[in-house]
Amino acid sequence: MRLLPRTRCCASGVVALGFGWILAGCELPSFGAPDSASDEGDRILSLWQGMFVAALAVGALVWGLLIFVLLRYRRSKRHTEDELPSQNAYNIPLEAVYTTIPILIVAVLFGFSVFTENKVNAVDHDSDAVKVDVIGFQWSWEFRYPDEHITIIGEPGKPPELVLPVDRPAHLQLISNDVNHSFWVPDFLSKRDLIPGVDNEIQITPTKTGSYIGRCAEFCGLDHWRMNYTVRVVSAADYDAWLAAR
């Protein structure tokens, strides 16, 4: 990354550069976020990486200006203690620049955030997606596959398993009939609440096979800590075999 030039468009340029780097397919570190195992998670991770790059750029600019001021305007031995440097009450061009730059940064980050949020929240009802009713209750989960007439019910201490095919979207209808719960799979980098009386849904498109831990991320009572489940992502052939076995 290049340091920000001292121009009016420097901030928005670096922010756009960070996101452009990601969109171009260049690998960036995750900056503390877990590796994504879903298409929606990839979008969220890209947004996080872009914001982190923007934060680093802004930090570099601020520290650079601080160091410049400390070195440029330090007290010189050639001046007496009573001598004051030149005083300016205001500097209109400078004030316009450091007012405009934060506005541009916020506008660019806001635009990318709205774009990512719309993509992640979008549910394509016309796609050939797996449909699952996810029902949270005190204190476990029930997974219903309405098209296949399959129901999986967990018990406290015996987490249920949600099976999904890889590279195929899954429409999860989130239902709660008692208190608020939250469907959260850390490796998918997405979370959605289950609220009584509220129709809520989420689309997940797994991109990696494997088994992932899921949790309830909304305190829901005494045994909230035991409301775990697993999501097993398998190939299309293994998913068809699982359906036949059920």
Side-chain angles (χ1 to χ4, degrees):
M1 293 293 297
R2 296 180 179 177
L3 293 179
L4 286 167
R6 297 175 190 171
T7 63
R8 189 167 299 185
C9 62
C10 61
S12 59
V14 169
V15 175
L17 178 61
F19 283 102
W21 191 359
I22 296 169
L23 294 176
C26 298
E27 289 292 333
L28 279 177
S30 60
F31 300 116
D35 292 333
S36 170
S38 71
D39 181 66
E40 295 75 16
D42 289 342
R43 295 182 182 276
I44 295 172
L45 179 60
S46 295
L47 178 66
W48 165 252
Q49 290 172 318
M51 287 193 170
F52 205 100
V53 169
L56 290 177
V58 172
L61 174 62
V62 172
W63 278 101
L65 291 175
L66 285 173
I67 294 173
F68 169 77
V69 170
L70 291 173
L71 295 178
R72 174 65 177 82
Y73 298 104
R74 70 188 186 278
R75 177 177 292 176
S76 173
K77 294 181 180 180
R78 295 177 298 175
H79 298 89
T80 65
E81 293 185 0
D82 296 331
E83 185 179 355
L84 292 176
S86 61
Q87 303 293 305
N88 264 338
Y90 54 84
N91 188 322
I92 298 299
L94 180 61
E95 293 174 8
V97 168
Y98 68 62
T99 300
T100 303
I101 287 178
I103 294 176
L104 291 176
I105 293 175
V106 172
V108 171
L109 294 180
F110 179 78
F112 279 109
S113 298
V114 171
F115 176 80
T116 301
E117 181 182 20
N118 291 337
K119 288 293 185 179
V120 170
N121 289 337
V123 176
D124 185 7
H125 293 281
D126 296 330
S127 65
D128 183 26
V130 177
K131 295 178 176 60
V132 183
D133 294 336
V134 177
I135 303 172
F137 60 90
Q138 293 175 311
W139 285 278
S140 193
W141 301 86
E142 179 179 344
F143 302 131
R144 294 179 184 171
Y145 297 73
D147 294 341
E148 290 81 15
H149 306 290
I150 295 174
T151 299
I152 302 170
I153 303 177
E155 301 176 3
K158 296 181 180 179
E161 183 179 64
L162 175 64
V163 179
L164 299 175
V166 70
D167 295 327
R168 181 179 171 187
H171 294 168
L172 309 182
Q173 197 72 30
L174 307 178
I175 304 168
S176 174
N177 296 320
D178 45 28
V179 298
N180 290 356
H181 301 285
S182 188
F183 181 88
W184 179 44
V185 181
D187 291 283
F188 291 164
L189 298 185
S190 57
K191 177 171 68 72
R192 195 64 53 86
D193 288 346
L194 293 73
I195 303 173
V198 176
D199 292 332
N200 214 353
E201 60 185 355
I202 187 173
Q203 177 170 301
I204 299 293
T205 308
T207 56
K208 300 177 182 178
T209 59
S211 186
Y212 306 98
I213 297 296
R215 309 183 188 278
C216 175
E218 187 80 24
F219 180 72
C220 55
L222 180 64
D223 283 339
H224 160 74
W225 65 278
R226 302 175 71 182
M227 265 190 80
N228 298 332
Y229 57 94
T230 58
V231 179
R232 182 159 58 94
V233 180
V234 298
S235 65
D238 289 342
Y239 180 72
D240 291 338
W242 178 82
L243 290 179
R246 299 294 299 190

